[in-house]
Amino acid sequence: MTSKINHTAGSHDWLTMVGEVLQAAARSAALPDDLNLSFVEHYIDGSELSPGLFQGLRFDIRNGVPGFCVGVAPHEVGDITIKVTALVAQRLNQIYSSDPAYAQVQEEARASGELCVSGDPSRLGAWFAAAHDDIVRRTAGSPPAAPRAAP
């Protein structure tokens, strides 16, 4: 999945794009019909998007069907909850998962408390981690994708 449109990280349009990318990836993963799981990403210092909803995303899978909502309530949680500063989120969403800096930024942010993960993101499946690079490609200011090595 590719797109030439680049969105500004953290904007309403960008959060919508993230939800759409995750939703498409989940649908392609042929989720089990009995899967019920919620994921919330909340910018702990994020701006208010609409009354009572702040920068973030809620992604739910109900009976194997994915859906999302842009904006989260301040104390909203899911089975998997990520609390992150807007700056760290922006940095992470401009680094491809194969770049060693990606793991380094995550590690430093966790150590400083700027990134907190509750629950196990791997419960979402490999499709979730794989969606990261598509999000990076669609985020303004991201470097072009590195060429893939020949098999």
Side-chain angles (χ1 to χ4, degrees), residues 12-14 57 75 83 100 122 130 144:
H12 191 280
D13 288 345
W14 183 84
L57 182 78
H75 301 290
K83 294 183 180 184
S122 71

Side-chain angles (χ1 to χ4, degrees), residues 39-43 80-84 115-118 121 128:
F39 166 77
V40 172
E41 181 169 291
H42 187 275
Y43 288 27
I80 301 140
T81 303
I82 295 178
K83 294 183 180 184
V84 62
L115 173 65
C116 300
V117 179
S118 301
F128 181 74

